[in-house]
Amino acid sequence: MNNFINKTLLNSLKRLYKTPNNALSSASSLPDVIVQNQHENDIKIYKKQTPSVLDPCDDEEVQHIAPYLKPTFNFAAYVNKSETLQELVKLGVNLHKLEKKTDVPEFILGLKFETDIKEHVILLHDLGLTVEQIGVILTKNPFILKECLDDLKVRINYLESKKFTAEMIVRIIALNPFWLSFSTRDIDKKLGFFQKTFSLTGDEVRYLTAKQPKLITYNQRHIKKSIFTLKEEMGFTDEEYKRILLQKPRLFMNDHKKLLKTFEYLHNTMKISLETIAQMPDVLGCRLFRLQQRFEYLQRLNKVQFNPKQPGYISPALIVSGSDSEFASQVAQTSIQSFNTFLQTL
């Protein structure tokens, strides 16, 4: 029986490797490792090779294999071995999100907590950031750990020199984890752009930055297009779009086409003036279908009255705020059941 198996294997190997008969003339020429897959009928033969740096090795530090991580890498296999990962977990860092980021797993596994991370954490904590906030920052921008501590201190000192308060600085970094990855020169140019473009005072620059720090580092081409949309396509004056910026800065990061469609519905269909929209820019950020549903419901009830000088006035801001239940009871003054019944007819 054994001779039969050996002959069968020899014949299979001859066909597989296309070698002459004398090349595999004895069982001693067979590969050293033969594995039988229990879920299939055929025998798979694996030729034993010399050890490779790609082979897993339990005796080596995980940092040594970090450069060879596969796209399907999972941190879970290394948590028990890596002090770095364990400390990051204590900080609240979301490893599941990190492992999905390009180049991050091997970067993180190449760090040592004591020498590469600890001082960064202390710096952020000394600023006034909570452990939870630091965990979020490192989850969103792990490459902040690449930044030199001296550079980070300079960037923080820059904000202090521009009279940003400690509370403002904490808010800026917490809401925009990528802020400290920009050089002071880049930040200075970006702040200068907003100050010059919108004729902002120093206090207004600080207010805007603390209110929406992501806007300052946002794609400037997109922001310029937003300015064009509000000023040229919608027709707002310089003063009006400055007011919109300070009250609702997030609008300048919104999709231009969606923003324009919402404006056209507000201005052309609902007959809301530009002045009114500029005074309550939250209406521009409302999803169009939600705005349409609520406006058409008010039309059905014959309650469309947006003139503050006339009885029964309804503020456009109230239409876009609150839940459906709040809108139905407080604005339309009907039951939520009636509003839901109306929605089913659309």
Side-chain angles (χ1 to χ4, degrees):
M1 178 63 71
N2 289 336
N3 291 335
F4 174 76
I5 293 176
N6 285 340
K7 289 180 180 180
T8 303
L9 290 176
L10 285 171
N11 290 334
S12 298
L13 288 170
K14 288 176 184 178
R15 291 192 298 272
L16 180 63
Y17 296 109
K18 298 180 180 180
T19 56
N21 290 340
N22 59 0
L24 294 170
S25 57
S26 67
S28 61
S29 299
L30 289 173
D32 295 328
V33 180
I34 300 178
V35 180
Q36 180 176 358
N37 189 327
Q38 297 180 355
H39 302 289
E40 299 178 4
N41 295 325
D42 61 321
I43 297 177
K44 295 182 179 180
I45 302 174
Y46 298 86
K47 190 172 183 179
K48 186 176 182 180
Q49 300 176 346
T50 56
S52 166
V53 293
L54 297 179
D55 294 334
C57 180
D58 294 335
D59 297 331
E60 294 182 349
E61 293 293 331
V62 291
Q63 288 89 342
H64 291 226
I65 61 175
Y68 306 101
L69 298 175
K70 297 180 179 180
T72 56
F73 175 79
N74 191 316
F75 272 128
Y78 298 92
V79 172
N80 292 333
K81 299 179 181 180
S82 172
E83 178 190 1
T84 296
L85 294 183
Q86 292 168 12
E87 293 298 331
L88 290 177
V89 169
K90 291 178 185 177
L91 289 170
V93 175
N94 190 324
L95 298 183
H96 180 64
K97 290 184 178 180
L98 286 186
E99 66 193 16
K100 295 180 179 180
K101 297 178 183 288
T102 304
D103 298 329
V104 169
E106 62 186 71
F107 166 66
I108 293 297
L109 288 177
L111 300 177
K112 292 183 179 179
F113 184 79
E114 286 294 325
T115 58
D116 303 318
I117 300 176
K118 185 176 180 179
E119 292 302 320
H120 287 70
V121 173
I122 292 175
L123 175 64
L124 295 173
H125 189 263
D126 287 346
L127 282 176
L129 289 156
T130 65
V131 172
E132 182 181 0
Q133 288 173 320
I134 294 172
V136 173
I137 289 170
L138 294 180
T139 298
K140 293 184 177 180
N141 182 21
F143 291 119
I144 196 175
L145 298 173
K146 277 188 175 183
E147 302 292 337
C148 171
L149 279 171
D150 288 338
D151 288 341
L152 295 180
K153 292 176 183 178
V154 168
R155 292 163 192 175
I156 293 168
N157 290 338
Y158 167 82
L159 290 174
E160 293 173 342
S161 72
K162 294 300 180 181
K163 299 181 180 180
F164 284 88
T165 65
E167 292 75 14
M168 285 180 173
I169 294 174
V170 167
R171 178 178 171 84
I172 289 168
I173 298 174
L175 294 183
N176 186 357
F178 296 93
W179 183 278
L180 291 179
S181 293
F182 288 88
S183 68
T184 54
R185 179 179 296 180
D186 288 338
I187 291 297
D188 193 66
K189 287 181 179 179
K190 292 177 184 297
L191 292 176
F193 165 78
F194 281 94
Q195 184 168 33
K196 182 178 180 180
T197 303
F198 295 92
S199 300
L200 303 177
T201 65
D203 285 341
E204 287 172 337
V205 171
R206 285 184 284 272
Y207 172 81
L208 174 65
T209 303
K211 184 178 180 69
Q212 186 53 265
K214 290 182 180 178
L215 178 65
I216 306 301
T217 60
Y218 204 71
N219 185 296
Q220 208 164 93
R221 183 178 299 177
H222 183 98
I223 295 171
K224 289 179 179 178
K225 174 60 178 175
S226 296
I227 294 171
F228 177 82
T229 297
L230 269 80
K231 189 174 181 179
E232 303 299 333
E233 296 182 294
M234 297 182 187
F236 289 107
T237 65
D238 291 351
E239 183 179 347
E240 286 172 338
Y241 77 72
K242 174 181 175 178
R243 183 185 301 167
I244 293 172
L245 173 76
L246 294 175
Q247 290 190 39
K248 194 70 174 178
R250 186 172 183 81
L251 289 176
F252 288 79
M253 297 187 287
N254 284 10
D255 180 89
H256 306 118
K257 292 181 179 179
K258 292 181 180 179
L259 191 65
L260 187 57
K261 286 182 179 180
T262 300
F263 167 79
E264 289 174 343
Y265 190 82
L266 284 164
H267 187 57
N268 299 331
T269 302
M270 297 176 64
K271 307 300 180 183
I272 308 296
S273 68
L274 271 69
E275 182 181 4
T276 299
I277 295 174
Q279 291 174 348
M280 48 188 73
D282 280 350
V283 295
L284 281 173
C286 182
R287 289 171 292 180
L288 181 56
F289 79 90
R290 187 184 190 190
L291 187 65
Q292 291 172 324
Q293 290 174 345
R294 295 185 176 189
F295 176 67
E296 289 178 17
Y297 186 56
L298 292 176
Q299 279 186 314
R300 177 72 63 88
L301 299 173
N302 197 27
K303 290 185 177 182
V304 175
Q305 213 294 79
F306 299 135
N307 187 341
K309 298 180 180 181
Q310 298 295 328
Y313 167 69
I314 294 178
S315 170
L318 292 178
I319 298 179
V320 302
S321 62
S323 64
D324 284 348
S325 179
E326 291 171 333
F327 164 74
S329 61
Q330 298 175 19
V331 181
Q333 297 181 336
T334 62
S335 66
I336 182 61
Q337 290 79 12
S338 297
F339 182 53
N340 288 335
T341 299
F342 166 76
L343 294 180
Q344 293 173 5
T345 66
L346 297 179

